[in-house]
């Protein structure tokens, strides 16, 4: 791959204009989750905590024995 400084600036400018990279991004807003979606995400959090505890427990028992 060629370094950026080896490309023609006019080609780079055309690419930027064609792809629309000079335009500002659309605003991002939070989405209100449904109760079911919130429950799923809380379940995932609990799962991560439990799996982390299992891994720590297994590591501690494996390292000691």
């Amino acid at each position: 791959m060629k370094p950026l400084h080896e490309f023609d600036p006019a080609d780079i400018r055309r690419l930027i204009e064609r792809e629309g990279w000079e335009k500002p991004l659309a605003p991002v807003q939070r989405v209100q989750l449904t109760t079911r979606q919130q429950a799923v995400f809380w379940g995932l959090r609990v799962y991560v905590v439990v799996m982390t505890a299992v891994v720590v427990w297994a590591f501690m028992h494996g390292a000691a024995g």
Side-chain angles (χ1 to χ4, degrees):
M1 181 186 313
K2 290 194 310 187
L4 185 60
H5 69 276
E6 292 182 12
F7 286 93
D8 181 27
D11 289 339
I12 294 173
R13 188 82 211 137
R14 280 193 295 275
L15 173 67
I16 290 172
E17 291 170 357
R18 185 176 65 233
E19 296 293 328
W21 293 342
E22 77 281 356
K23 298 175 189 167
L25 297 175
V28 177
Q29 299 175 351
R30 284 183 173 240
V31 175
Q32 182 61 41
L33 299 177
T34 65
T35 305
R36 181 176 180 205
Q37 290 169 327
Q38 289 177 349
V40 168
F41 280 118
W42 274 107
L44 286 171
R45 290 179 181 123
V46 170
Y47 173 79
V48 167
V49 169
V50 169
M51 288 298 110
T52 302
V54 167
V55 168
V56 169
W57 179 84
F59 177 77
M60 297 302 281
H61 282 75

